[in-house]
Each structure stands twice: as C-alpha cells, then as structure tokens.
Amino acid sequence: MNQSNVQVVSDHSVFLIFKGAFFYLAPVTIPLSVIVIIQNIVIFTNYYKDRNKLIPSLFMGIALSDILRAQGELVLSVISILVYTGFVEVTFLYKSLIYYMFTALPGVNWSKVFNLVMTVSLTIKVVNPFYRLNSERLKSLTTCLCIVIVMLHVSDAIMVIVEGPHLAVIDAHNVAYLYFYLLCGFIIPGGITAATLFCMLMVLGGRGVPINILMTRRVARL
C-alpha cells in the first residue's frame, strides 16, 4: 500500500471518528450544553455578590469552566451537523477544533484545579476549624495555575502544528490525523510538548546532530 492509500484510509477513519464523536451525539449534546450553560450562568451570578470570599470565588471559577466546556461542545455539535449534512467542507470542522482546544479543553483543566483547591480548603477547615487560610494567596496561586494551563495548551498546539510535519511519528501529509492527534493529546496540558521535545532529542541522537547546531539553524531561519 503506497503513501496515498494510507493517507486516504487515515482521512476516512478520522472522518468517521469525528462523525461518531460529534454528529451522532449532537441531538443529545446540544440540549445538554444549553442546559449546562444556563445553569452555570445562574450559579455564577448567584455567587458574584460574594466574589471576594474564597469558596464563592471557587464556585464562580467552576461555573465559568463548565460554561467554557459546554459552549465548546455546543459549537462543535452545530458545526458537525453543518459538515456531515453537506453545507460546509469537512476541513471547517478540523479547523474549528482549534477554537475548541483554546476554550473548552482549558475549561476542563481549570475545573480540576478549582475543585482540587476547594476540596483541600474545605478539608483543612473541617480538620482544623481554627486555622485561617490566606484566601488572597490561595486565589493568586489558583490564578497562576490556570494561566500555566493555558500556556501549556498553546505550547502543545504550536508543537503539533509547527513541529509535527518534521517528526516521523506524525503523518505530516494527513491534515485530518494531525488535528485528531492534537485533540487527543490536548487533554493533558504540556503532554504533547514534552513528547515532541523527547522525539526531537531521539531523532537528533539517532542522526548524531548536536543540539546547538539545531538551535543555531532554527534561530537563523527566524
């Protein structure tokens, strides 16, 4: 089987995967996403008056994270309907995944951070009710973690789109697979960046190319 045949099979496989993940589930995903968005808007506005307190601010963060995730699912479901009914090209769905990755998936990881901080805070209050937590410092730490998560997501996207075609582990000629690879790896922020750097080091080690020569070439191209 030549490269063109492999590419056709891979494109068709990814096409079917996205169809099952987005199009067939759209009748369920769309109403659920709308309900989640409305519910969390109510939660956010309810706790907004006590936003200076730690626990209400964490509830607001969780609500905002769920809104980001739900709107991403809603957008992808609507676009998948347009794509698989023939109104727009399938490449539009692949490109819309970038929007999903920069909004919905960070919201998923933000929600984990907010829930973890809330769990630890409430546990400390139950175990030692006389201990006073530094709310401002804890909120600042949570904000920094959320910023780091976004930066890792951006780094992952850059690594796959820019460095992906140069790596043997990714089918550079297959745009559909490239986006599928990015979507799967984006769930763990920073995972693709670490894997890509590792692959680059392995490739360099196999070719016997010093790291400083590679960096000099890349700087020269910039």
Side-chain angles (χ1 to χ4, degrees):
M1 182 179 291
N2 56 33
Q3 177 63 31
S4 61
N5 290 334
V6 174
Q7 181 177 341
V8 170
V9 172
S10 299
D11 278 333
H12 184 65
S13 299
V14 175
F15 181 86
L16 294 178
I17 291 172
F18 283 155
K19 187 174 184 180
F22 304 129
F23 178 71
Y24 289 140
L25 295 178
V28 177
T29 303
I30 291 176
L32 285 179
S33 298
V34 173
I35 293 173
V36 170
I37 291 173
I38 295 174
Q39 179 184 11
N40 283 280
I41 289 176
V42 173
I43 294 174
F44 187 90
T45 55
N46 182 58
Y47 284 104
Y48 184 78
K49 59 181 180 296
D50 296 324
R51 59 188 179 278
N52 293 326
K53 299 179 181 179
L54 177 61
I55 300 302
S57 65
L58 292 176
F59 273 118
M60 289 172 58
I62 295 173
L64 179 61
S65 302
D66 291 341
I67 291 173
L68 288 174
R69 172 65 185 273
Q71 61 83 32
E73 298 289 348
L74 180 62
V75 169
L76 272 185
S77 297
V78 173
I79 291 177
S80 68
I81 292 176
L82 297 176
V83 168
Y84 290 103
T85 51
F87 286 97
V88 295
E89 296 292 333
V90 69
T91 53
F92 189 74
L93 176 62
Y94 300 153
K95 294 177 180 179
S96 67
L97 291 174
I98 298 296
Y99 170 79
Y100 181 85
M101 294 164 191
F102 284 113
T103 57
L105 290 182
V108 173
N109 292 296
W110 284 358
S111 180
K112 297 175 184 177
V113 172
F114 289 128
N115 279 284
L116 176 62
V117 173
M118 180 179 293
T119 302
V120 173
S121 302
L122 294 177
T123 302
I124 293 175
K125 287 188 176 182
V126 171
V127 175
N128 190 356
F130 299 103
Y131 181 79
R132 287 184 60 85
L133 289 171
N134 191 328
S135 300
E136 293 301 323
R137 182 178 298 178
L138 195 56
K139 286 192 288 187
S140 299
L141 177 61
T142 305
T143 302
C144 291
L145 288 175
C146 292
I147 294 174
V148 170
I149 287 173
V150 173
M151 293 177 64
L152 289 174
H153 283 319
V154 174
S155 175
D156 286 343
I158 293 174
M159 283 293 178
V160 171
I161 294 175
V162 176
E163 294 295 339
H166 304 290
L167 299 177
V169 294
I170 301 178
D171 185 1
H173 303 284
N174 191 334
V175 177
Y177 185 76
L178 190 65
Y179 283 106
F180 179 66
Y181 181 83
L182 180 57
L183 179 61
C184 293
F186 227 77
I187 299 174
I188 304 176
I192 289 182
T193 300
T196 304
L197 292 176
F198 176 77
C199 291
M200 291 173 63
L201 292 175
M202 293 295 292
V203 171
L204 291 174
R207 295 177 180 176
V209 180
I211 300 296
N212 58 346
I213 294 179
L214 176 75
M215 296 305 297
T216 303
R217 291 176 180 172
R218 292 188 178 278
V219 172
R221 283 195 309 222
L222 295 177

